[in-house]
């Protein structure tokens, strides 16, 4: 019995570690790449942990020039020979992500005139790739703002319209309820791409093409239905007597809804807003179809991978910016989402 | 919940909503609450759907055609491949993900040290934007990327593999693996929730009557979980049918064609060409029909579940 | 002959942790209806789970017909269990639920059908066989659980608070039925409950448990009238037994139980037993119905003290009076029909032989 237990435990530990490793290792490498300099990107094999400094060997050369050596895996090799400060500065910035003025470099290197060849160590600008991303992809800052706003609009539209419908579905019996239920389900499952192109035509008519509101209107289509579905299941669970008690104490319907029903339904609303957020934040295809100028961050990052084929580390930095809010949002509301899933303990 | 009580409650509400009682009577309230959703869906869903259908059944000159655009689609580059790949991808990825996730969920159903941490880690991939997932894996799959680094480090391979040159089935499988990495942990969480929700005594009862672990799993656990598994599988299938971003971003357009990838292709890569728009419309329509059929199957499945009485 | 024997049975859920069941010794005869009675958390469930084989034992032995069953799987022990939550499988019809244990035994189809029918008849659910559990009431589910338990013809029925999820009225009906089924099936039953009236009305013998230890084993009458420990006296009976801390003192060759507010003369049959406790503190217990009340002086019973009534709770068949003795609230149950109200002055007498004394250390009855 004990022996079996030990085997069982070992097998489980191995499986768990394999799973954790296979989730975490790609993430770590990815993170490492977003902090890698151009030179590190060409290195192979890749390091799990990025370096935070670069070491170069400098030897004095003729005509006041310096020869710079760098170890790229197979020992120190001569990289460039120059005395031009701009060239040096660019070289260090582009290759090593070290932002330092050329004059300062020359000043440092001048010591080699006396001492012979020397090693120099420079701190990397670890956020270099992020700065580059915003620099290269010139509309990325507005795109970030757009993404946030579109997500916000989507949450507002979906929650306000969807929760009303959810309340009606939970609390009342009426004709066509079954039909409406099925319709909501179909809408929820309906692929957004399916209506994106005709939606573009419609939005042009309304003058909403290439606007954030236009995008949010599209993203709300599945999310209103989803919100109705999630909230109605929660409203059903809320005892109507709680509402009646409020009526008895003289509150009107609106006050009751605001003070009693809404707070009780908060987990459902939190979960719904997460799904609305993720729809808006993660989508690229609809944004591709419905926007020209007002692009969202996901779209911009998607396009960046085409425009900067060599510097994939910049696109990686961009996607970190894309990931973070979604990650934060998900983890804030995960408690409520878990409640929806039947109280799985996390 | 008695109906009388409900009606009662809304009537009490009425007396307070001064004067508006003629509109706000209990029969119209549900319709009023549903009205915004009605209007929204009439304008922003039904209208585009009709417009889209109209486009599919009119030719370039605007006159009606039943099959013209479908012929165009059938003849378009890579159509057959797109259909095949989509079907393959949906089938393989869903089977693989559910198999792994179920296995993990069952093995981890017992509480142990670090299970909270595990769940936390499992939450991460599902919160990552697909675009970012694609870039993450692209950095891995390039020739001097980290996937080769790891494989060489583990001495599984001697020479770096050029993953991004993968063709045909291998390329589909590559996308399947990436999707599996992204989706499996969240599927596992959903299944774990289901497993945790099953009362311990239901399994113990079977055990006292002589069922072994395997029988308990097959006869008790799985059937009780079945409705929720079916629901989530269909939802996953619907998502899988719409795969495209990862394929395009990792490998590029037309490398592993999928249905939705074709839509993006005609919108993004070859806009302006006269047939592009028609093709995009027709592909959208086709994809939608496929998803719709899947949805109907799903509805059937859930109907059956309610007939059975579901799991209380 | 003992049918089921628990020998020094022990259980702790963590290695070297506290004992949830502690040195339990018990022998049960064939055909008996045994009730485990005790407050929640005292180890009742743990004990029957060990008997059923769902829980491993930490020490001791369990024997059925003189053979240890510790190494046997639940199905080979010849027991069947009815769970508190019924544990009816939601995805199976009533028929499938009852038939499943037989399917596991790989019995032929027609035999399964016959036995399911018989079990369903015994539990009175023949009409429900095609239903799913979701479409049934609590009482009906309970019957399904019973039918499923009897269909395997077990030697021993184990029931863990099977009635606690039913409403009060149904609980009373169901307990009669359970007893009937027990009689009809010639079964040996172990029934767990924390409800003393359930225990009293069902049991051939009650096992009173507290904190993992058996406090007393006896018929319902024995545990009530002849409580073995202070715990049994306090747990069984409503309202509960009144306890007083008293000193045993000798005055004029007589023994007295002395508290700050009364001096009670101990009857001669307890004198010997209480001698060793001379000048020591013991617990004195008197059940509420064994305190008689008089308005004037009276010679019946043994005088306890005089007091005033604080409160009267008429119950119809009897009344409960609340008085205070030495600052302590004491409940009295009386069937006497007389003019009593708050403030009425009364003389309290203890009925002959009904005062109980308990050792403060062991909590056992002194006699
Ligand atoms: N699986 C378990 N793990 C740890 N402790 C347990 C477990 N089950 C029960 N206990 C503890 O054992 C004691 C007895 O529990 P139980 O047998 O369920 O009592 P009862 O059925 O009399 O209410 C309680 O203190 C309880 O907390
Ligand atoms: Mg219990």
């Amino acid at each position: 019995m004990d022996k079996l237990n030990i085997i069982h435990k070992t097998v489980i530990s191995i499986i768990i570690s394999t799973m954790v490793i296979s989730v975490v290792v790609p993430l770590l490498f990815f993170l490492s790449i977003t902090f890698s300099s151009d030179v590190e990107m060409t290195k192979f094999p890749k390091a799990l942990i990025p370096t935070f400094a670069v070491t170069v060997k400098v030897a004095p050369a003729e005509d006041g020039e310096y020869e710079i050596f760098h170890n790229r895996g197979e020992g120190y090799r001569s990289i460039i020979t120059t005395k031009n400060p701009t060239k040096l500065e660019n070289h260090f910035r582009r290759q090593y992500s070290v932002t330092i003025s050329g004059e300062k470099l020359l000043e440092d290197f001048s010591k080699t005139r006396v001492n012979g060849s020397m090693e120099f160590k420079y701190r990397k600008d670890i956020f270099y790739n992020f700065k580059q991303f915003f620099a290269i992809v010139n509309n990325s800052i507005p795109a970030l703002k757009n993404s946030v706003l579109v997500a916000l609009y989507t949450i507002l539209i979906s929650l306000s319209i969807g929760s009303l419908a959810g309340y009606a579905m939970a609390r009342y019996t009426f004709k066509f309820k079954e039909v409406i239920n099925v319709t909501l389900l179909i809408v929820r499952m309906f692929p957004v791409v399916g209506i994106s192109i005709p939606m573009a035509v419609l939005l042009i008519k309304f003058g909403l093409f290439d606007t954030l509101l236009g995008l949010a209107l599209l993203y709300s289509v599945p999310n209103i239905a989803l919100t109705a579905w999630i909230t109605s299941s929660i409203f059903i669970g809320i005892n109507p007597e709680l509402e009646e008690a409020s009526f008895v104490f003289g509150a009107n319907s609106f006050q009751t809804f605001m003070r009693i029903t809404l707070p009780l339904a908060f987990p459902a609303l939190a979960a719904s807003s997460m799904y609305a957020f993720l729809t808006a934040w993660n989508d690229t295809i609809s944004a591709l179809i419905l926007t020209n100028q007002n692009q969202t961050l996901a779209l911009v990052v998607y396009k960046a991978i085409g425009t900067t084929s060599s510097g994939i580390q910049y696109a990686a930095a961009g996607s970190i910016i894309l990931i973070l809010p979604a990650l934060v949002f998900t983890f804030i509301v995960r408690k409520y989402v878990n409640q929806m899933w039947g109280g799985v303990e996390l | 919940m008695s109906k009388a009580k409900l009606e009662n409650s809304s009537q009490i509400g009425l007396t307070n909503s001064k004067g508006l009682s003629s509109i706000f009577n209990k029969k119209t309230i549900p319709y009023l609450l549903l009205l915004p959703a009605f209007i929204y869906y009439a304008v922003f869903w039904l209208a585009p759907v009709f417009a889209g259908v109209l486009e599919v059944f009119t030719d370039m000159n605007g006159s009606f055609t039943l099959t013209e655009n479908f012929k165009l689609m059938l003849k378009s580059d890579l159509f057959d491949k797109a259909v095949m790949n989509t079907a393959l991808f949906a089938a393989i990825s869903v089977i693989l993900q559910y198999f792994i996730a179920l296995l993990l969920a069952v093995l981890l159903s017992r509480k142990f040290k670090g299970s909270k941490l595990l769940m936390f880690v499992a939450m991460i991939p599902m919160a990552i934007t697909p675009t970012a997932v694609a870039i993450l894996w692209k950095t891995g799959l390039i020739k001097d990327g980290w996937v080769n680094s790891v494989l060489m480090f583990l001495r599984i391979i001697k020479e770096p593999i050029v993953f991004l040159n993968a063709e045909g089935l291998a390329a589909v499988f590559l996308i399947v693996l990436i999707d599996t990495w992204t989706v499996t942990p969240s599927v596992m969480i959903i299944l774990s929730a289901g497993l945790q929700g099953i009362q311990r005594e239901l399994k113990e009862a079977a055990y006292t009557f002589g069922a072994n672990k395997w029988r308990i799993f097959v006869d008790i656990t799985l059937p009780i979980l079945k409705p929720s598994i079916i629901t989530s599988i269909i939802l996953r299938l619907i998502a899988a049918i719409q795969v495209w971003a990862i394929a395009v971003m990792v490998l590029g357009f037309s490398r592993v064609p999928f249905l939705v990838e074709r839509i993006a292709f005609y919108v993004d890569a070859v806009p302006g060409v006269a047939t592009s728009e028609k093709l995009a419309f027709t592909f959208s329509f086709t994809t939608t029909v496929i998803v719709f059929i899947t949805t109907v199957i799903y509805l059937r499945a859930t109907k059956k579940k309610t007939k059975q009485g579901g799991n209380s | 002959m003992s049918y089921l024997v628990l020998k020094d049975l022990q259980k702790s859920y963590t290695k070297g942790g506290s004992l949830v069941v502690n040195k339990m010794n018990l022998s049960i005869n064939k055909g008996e209806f045994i009730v485990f009675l005790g407050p929640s958390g005292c180890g009742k469930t743990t004990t029957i789970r060990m008997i059923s084989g769902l829980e491993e034992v930490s020490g001791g032995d369990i024997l059925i017909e003189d053979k240890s069953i510790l190494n046997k799987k639940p199905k080979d022990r010849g027991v069947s269990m009815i769970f508190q939550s019924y544990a009816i499988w939601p995805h199976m019809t009533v028929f499938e639920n009852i038939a499943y244990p037989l399917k596991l035994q790989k019995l032929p189809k027609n035999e399964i059908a016959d036995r399911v029918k018989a079990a369903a008849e015994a539990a009175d659910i023949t009409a429900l066989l095609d239903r799913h559990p979701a479409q049934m009431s609590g009482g009906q589910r309970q019957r399904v659980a019973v039918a499923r338990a009897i269909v395997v013809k077990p030697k021993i029925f184990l029931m863990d608070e099977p009635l606690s999820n039913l409403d009060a009225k149904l609980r009373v009906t169901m307990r009669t039925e359970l007893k009937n089924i027990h009689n009809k099936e010639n079964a040996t039953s172990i029934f767990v409950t924390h409800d003393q009236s359930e225990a009293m009305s069902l049991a051939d013998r009650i096992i009173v448990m507290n904190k993992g230890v058996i406090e007393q084993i006896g018929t319902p009458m024995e545990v009530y009238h002849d409580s073995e420990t202070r715990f049994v006296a306090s747990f069984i009976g409503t309202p509960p037994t009144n306890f007083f801390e008293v000193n045993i003192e000798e005055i004029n060759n007589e023994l007295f139980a002395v508290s700050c507010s009364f001096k009670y003369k101990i009857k001669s049959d307890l004198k010997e037993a209480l001698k060793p406790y001379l000048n020591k503190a013991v617990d004195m217990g008197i059940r509420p119905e064994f305190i008689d009340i008089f308005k004037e002086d009276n010679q019946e019973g043994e005088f306890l003290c005089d007091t005033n009534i604080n409160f009267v709770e008429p119950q119809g068949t009897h009344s409960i009076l609340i008085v205070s003795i030495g600052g302590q609230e004491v409940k009295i149950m009386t069937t006497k029909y007389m003019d009593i109200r708050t403030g009425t002055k009364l003389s309290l007498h203890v009925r002959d032989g009904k005062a109980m004394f308990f050792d403060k250390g062991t909590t056992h009855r002194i006699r």
Side-chain angles (χ1 to χ4, degrees):
Chain A
M1 200 65 210
D2 257 5
K3 217 178 189 179
L4 253 173
N5 238 332
I6 290 168
I7 294 173
H8 188 234
K9 268 191 185 150
T10 326
V11 169
I12 284 199
S13 314
I14 291 174
I15 290 173
I16 294 170
S17 338
T18 314
M19 189 191 137
V20 171
I21 287 172
S22 54
V23 170
V24 168
V25 164
L27 287 172
L28 285 181
F29 270 115
F30 186 52
L31 215 58
S32 162
I33 279 168
T34 57
F35 297 117
S36 292
S37 65
D38 208 50
V39 166
E40 282 173 282
M41 285 304 294
T42 58
K43 267 192 191 152
F44 185 82
K46 290 272 181 296
L48 197 54
I49 295 156
T51 57
F52 294 98
V54 66
T55 310
V56 289
K57 221 185 226 170
V58 179
E62 289 161 21
D63 300 335
E65 291 195 326
Y66 298 97
E67 187 171 9
I68 292 156
F69 299 85
H70 184 238
N71 185 353
R72 293 182 179 177
E74 302 110 358
Y76 280 96
R77 288 241 208 109
S78 168
I79 309 292
I80 54 168
T81 310
T82 181
K83 61 177 175 181
N84 180 344
T86 323
K87 210 169 166 190
L88 269 177
E89 188 176 322
N90 283 342
H91 177 75
F92 270 74
R93 193 159 44 80
R94 291 199 189 127
Q95 298 278 300
Y96 312 125
S97 303
V98 173
T99 42
I100 188 168
S101 76
E103 282 76 20
K104 176 80 178 56
L105 284 170
L106 285 177
E107 191 189 319
D108 285 351
F109 294 166
S110 64
K111 290 181 201 155
T112 59
R113 296 269 168 232
V114 188
N115 303 344
S117 68
M118 282 170 75
E119 277 186 12
F120 292 93
K121 198 170 179 181
Y122 292 103
R123 269 253 312 278
K124 240 167 77 180
D125 177 3
I126 49 168
F127 292 112
Y128 180 73
N129 292 338
F130 292 84
K131 290 175 190 160
Q132 275 303 97
F133 172 75
F134 284 113
I136 295 173
V137 186
N138 48 21
N139 60 343
S140 48
I141 298 227
L144 177 61
K145 207 181 87 199
N146 287 348
S147 273
V148 172
L149 283 176
V150 170
L152 221 60
Y153 293 160
T154 308
I155 292 175
L156 279 178
I157 298 172
S158 309
L159 257 58
S160 55
I161 299 182
S163 60
L164 285 181
Y167 188 78
M169 299 301 288
R171 278 285 187 274
Y172 300 92
T173 44
F174 46 91
K175 259 194 212 168
F176 308 123
K177 187 170 175 174
E178 203 40 45
V179 179
I180 290 169
N181 221 339
V182 173
T183 315
L184 284 177
L185 189 78
I186 290 172
V187 176
R188 178 157 69 90
M189 304 266 192
F190 205 85
V192 174
V193 248
I195 53 169
S196 294
I197 307 172
M199 188 78 156
V201 181
L202 189 76
L203 290 181
I204 290 170
K205 260 188 220 154
F206 290 154
L208 287 172
F209 183 77
D210 197 18
T211 63
L212 303 182
L213 184 61
L215 263 184
L217 285 170
L218 177 69
Y219 296 146
S220 298
V221 168
N223 278 304
I224 288 173
L226 184 65
T227 305
W229 182 71
I230 293 177
T231 50
S232 81
S233 63
I234 284 272
F235 282 134
I236 285 174
I238 297 173
N239 194 337
E241 284 176 9
L242 290 174
E243 290 168 18
E244 282 167 30
S246 163
F247 288 134
V248 169
F249 289 116
N252 63 34
S253 306
F254 180 73
Q255 284 169 328
T256 304
F257 187 77
M258 293 306 287
R259 298 252 174 82
I260 310 288
T261 318
L262 216 52
L264 286 172
F266 186 73
L269 297 179
S272 309
S273 63
M274 184 192 82
Y275 289 117
F277 177 88
L278 289 180
T279 312
W281 192 264
N282 290 349
D283 168 78
T284 40
I285 180 98
S286 303
L288 188 66
I289 294 168
L290 291 184
T291 58
N292 276 333
Q293 304 299 316
N294 286 313
Q295 298 182 341
T296 57
L297 189 62
L299 182 58
V300 163
V301 172
Y302 159 75
K303 291 204 159 171
I305 205 170
T307 50
T308 63
S309 52
S310 61
I312 197 171
Q313 69 269 35
Y314 308 138
S319 44
I320 290 286
I321 297 165
L322 188 58
I323 290 170
L324 276 183
L327 211 57
V328 168
F329 201 87
T330 309
F331 278 92
I332 288 174
V333 297
R334 98 196 135 109
K335 201 169 83 200
Y336 305 109
V337 179
N338 297 338
Q339 277 176 20
M340 305 287 316
W341 285 344
V344 57
E345 272 208 37
L346 294 192
Chain B
M1 242 194 310
S2 75
K3 217 196 268 177
K5 234 180 217 163
L6 285 182
E7 286 167 2
N8 207 358
S9 78
S10 51
Q11 265 161 10
I12 297 171
L14 287 185
T15 40
N16 284 324
S17 54
K18 314 142 197 153
L20 289 171
S21 31
S22 51
I23 309 170
F24 287 104
N25 76 52
K26 69 169 189 285
K27 275 218 170 126
T28 50
I29 281 185
Y31 295 108
L32 282 175
L33 291 173
L34 283 165
L35 194 64
F38 272 135
I39 295 172
Y40 196 94
Y41 281 134
V43 177
F44 294 113
W45 184 68
L46 218 52
V49 167
F50 269 120
V53 173
L54 210 67
E55 281 289 339
V56 172
F57 293 106
T58 51
D59 64 16
M60 303 288 185
N61 311 319
S63 51
F64 175 81
T65 162
L66 191 63
T67 53
E68 193 70 26
N69 292 318
F70 288 100
K71 276 185 198 152
L72 204 64
M73 179 176 77
L74 286 172
K75 275 189 294 187
S76 71
D77 282 349
L78 301 174
F79 169 76
D80 46 347
K81 270 206 174 145
V83 172
M84 254 248 303
N85 286 347
T86 305
L88 267 178
F89 174 83
I92 300 176
S93 67
V94 169
I95 291 170
L96 192 67
Q97 287 156 13
Y98 273 80
F99 183 76
I100 298 175
L102 195 60
L103 197 74
L104 284 173
V106 170
L107 281 176
L108 306 181
S109 58
R110 273 203 245 160
K111 278 256 162 64
F112 56 92
K113 260 184 272 166
S115 54
K116 272 187 186 170
L117 182 78
L118 183 79
M119 290 291 181
F120 186 84
V121 169
M123 293 280 291
I124 300 175
M126 110 184 159
I128 300 184
T129 313
T131 318
V133 170
I135 294 178
L136 187 156
W137 282 95
K138 187 156 187 173
T139 62
L141 292 171
I142 46 181
K143 185 160 171 264
D144 50 2
W146 51 262
V147 173
N148 276 326
S149 307
V150 171
L151 291 178
M152 301 252 298
F153 176 77
L154 296 175
R155 298 184 196 286
I156 293 172
I157 54 169
K158 287 214 176 68
E159 284 292 307
I161 300 172
V162 191
F163 291 103
L164 296 183
N165 280 354
E167 290 284 344
L169 245 141
V172 175
F173 207 71
L174 205 60
I175 308 297
V176 168
L177 284 182
I178 295 174
D179 194 58
T180 302
W181 180 84
T182 321
V183 168
T184 309
S186 59
V187 175
M188 187 204 80
I189 290 180
I190 293 175
L191 294 179
S192 290
L195 283 175
Q196 278 180 24
I198 297 179
Q199 245 181 31
R200 189 176 70 154
E201 294 184 343
L202 291 175
K203 294 189 233 168
E204 286 179 348
Y207 178 62
T208 59
F209 289 122
N212 58 25
K213 273 190 179 161
W214 174 246
R215 280 250 75 82
I216 293 174
F217 182 69
V218 171
D219 292 343
I220 311 293
T221 313
L222 218 48
I224 292 177
L225 271 187
K226 204 172 98 189
S228 49
I229 291 183
I230 289 182
T231 308
S232 69
I233 282 187
I234 305 271
L235 289 174
R236 265 312 309 156
L237 263 180
I238 289 171
I241 290 170
Q242 300 176 54
V243 65
W244 78 281
I246 293 175
V248 169
M249 293 183 68
V250 173
L251 295 173
F253 274 119
S254 304
R255 287 284 308 284
V256 214
F258 290 111
L259 283 172
V260 176
E261 184 258 2
R262 292 288 88 194
I263 303 173
F265 175 73
Y266 288 114
V267 174
D268 190 28
V270 284
V273 180
T275 53
S276 280
E277 196 173 313
K278 277 286 175 217
L279 278 171
F281 269 116
T282 317
F283 267 104
S284 299
F285 180 81
T286 311
T287 313
T288 307
V289 168
I290 293 174
V291 169
F292 189 75
I293 291 169
T294 321
T295 311
V296 170
I297 297 172
Y298 162 70
L299 278 176
R300 283 267 169 82
T302 45
K303 264 274 164 54
K304 221 162 150 196
K305 171 188 144 199
T306 44
K307 238 186 235 154
Q308 244 185 37
N311 42 347
S312 52
Chain C
M1 195 198 85
S2 307
Y3 189 58
L4 170 73
V5 175
L6 310 185
K7 225 188 229 166
D8 289 336
L9 192 62
Q10 286 197 343
K11 175 74 187 177
S12 84
Y13 280 103
T14 48
K15 238 185 194 143
S18 62
L19 288 171
V20 174
V21 172
N22 192 355
K23 292 257 169 186
M24 193 155 169
N25 282 293
L26 176 64
S27 71
I28 293 170
N29 299 321
K30 192 161 189 165
E32 261 192 309
F33 200 113
I34 293 292
V35 174
F36 284 3
L37 174 64
S40 112
C42 73
K44 309 178 297 285
T45 299
T46 306
T47 309
I48 69 163
R49 281 171 62 88
M50 284 192 285
I51 299 172
S52 74
L54 286 171
E55 207 75 69
E56 280 180 48
V57 309
S58 311
D61 204 352
I62 303 172
L63 307 137
I64 291 183
E65 293 178 315
D66 291 333
K67 282 193 275 295
S68 170
I69 56 164
L70 287 189
N71 292 324
K72 286 189 181 171
K73 292 206 157 166
K75 65 164 170 147
D76 302 320
R77 296 185 178 200
V79 300
S80 72
M81 178 116 162
I82 297 177
F83 293 85
Q84 185 168 5
S85 62
Y86 316 140
I88 302 296
W89 300 301
H91 58 292
M92 298 183 185
T93 62
V94 171
F95 181 91
E96 288 163 345
N97 260 287
I98 304 173
Y100 184 68
L102 303 178
K103 270 190 202 147
L104 287 172
Q105 296 175 10
K106 302 208 169 67
L107 295 184
K109 271 215 169 108
N110 52 343
E111 192 187 340
I112 292 180
D114 290 346
R115 279 174 67 174
V116 170
K117 228 177 114 198
E121 257 162 41
D124 199 13
I125 45 168
T126 320
L128 304 177
L129 282 175
D130 293 329
R131 291 238 200 127
H132 271 278
Q135 311 156 321
M136 296 192 301
S137 69
Q140 290 170 328
R141 287 184 209 185
Q142 164 77 80
R143 286 167 191 277
V144 176
V146 171
R148 193 178 60 184
I150 59 182
V151 83
V152 293
K153 304 197 170 134
K155 296 182 206 161
I156 300 171
F157 281 109
L158 304 172
M159 296 172 257
D160 189 3
E161 312 216 15
L163 306 177
S164 62
N165 288 337
L166 301 178
D167 61 61
K169 211 168 151 194
L170 202 54
R171 216 178 297 167
V172 176
T173 345
M174 274 311 290
R175 76 183 181 207
T176 323
E177 284 199 35
L178 282 180
K179 188 78 191 243
N180 280 338
I181 290 171
H182 164 87
N183 291 338
K184 247 191 265 166
E185 302 281 322
N186 275 328
T188 307
S189 300
I190 298 179
F191 182 104
V192 164
T193 183
H194 63 263
D195 178 343
Q196 47 167 309
S197 77
E198 217 165 87
M200 294 293 221
S201 62
L202 281 171
D204 294 328
R205 282 194 297 158
I206 295 178
I207 319 296
V208 185
M209 288 181 66
N210 184 33
K211 294 182 184 157
V213 176
I214 295 182
E215 295 270 342
Q216 184 170 5
I217 303 174
T219 63
M221 284 318 216
E222 278 167 3
V223 294
Y224 187 85
H225 290 283
D226 224 357
S227 304
E228 188 50 53
T229 65
R230 194 198 138 124
F231 173 81
V232 176
S234 68
F235 188 72
I236 293 175
T238 33
T241 304
N242 301 300
F243 287 100
F244 308 95
E245 196 178 300
V246 294
N247 251 320
I248 305 297
E249 287 173 19
E250 191 169 20
I251 305 168
N252 297 335
N253 235 352
E254 294 278 6
L255 279 189
F256 286 88
V258 180
S259 86
C260 57
S261 48
F262 63 78
K263 217 184 234 175
Y264 171 82
K265 195 170 117 197
I266 290 160
K267 290 271 144 200
S268 49
D269 53 338
L270 276 177
K271 261 184 176 170
E272 275 313 303
L274 279 166
K275 268 264 166 68
Y277 292 89
L278 200 59
N279 296 323
K280 282 185 190 150
V282 298
D283 283 321
M284 175 177 171
I286 314 166
R287 291 200 175 273
E289 65 270 36
F290 297 140
I291 301 178
D292 289 322
I293 52 169
F294 301 97
K295 278 196 172 171
E296 328 48 60
D297 243 9
N298 200 298
Q299 294 309 308
E300 255 179 68
E302 187 63 43
F303 176 72
L304 188 66
C305 63
D306 291 323
T307 183
N308 293 327
I309 294 179
N310 289 347
F311 205 72
V312 184
E313 293 172 358
Q315 306 279 317
T317 56
H318 60 273
S319 298
I320 291 167
L321 317 178
I322 296 161
V323 302
S324 85
I325 298 177
Q328 181 187 345
E329 191 175 84
V330 172
K331 286 195 172 168
I332 300 168
M333 214 165 97
T334 181
T335 51
K336 278 187 189 166
Y337 193 76
M338 54 195 231
D339 181 28
I340 32 182
R341 62 187 74 201
T342 306
T344 306
K345 194 166 176 280
L346 290 177
S347 168
L348 306 184
H349 289 235
V350 180
R351 207 169 298 165
D352 281 343
K354 294 301 183 187
M356 303 178 276
F357 295 91
F358 300 95
D359 185 301
K360 270 204 168 306
T362 64
T363 78
H364 273 263
R365 182 88 170 267
I366 303 165
R367 55 181 164 192

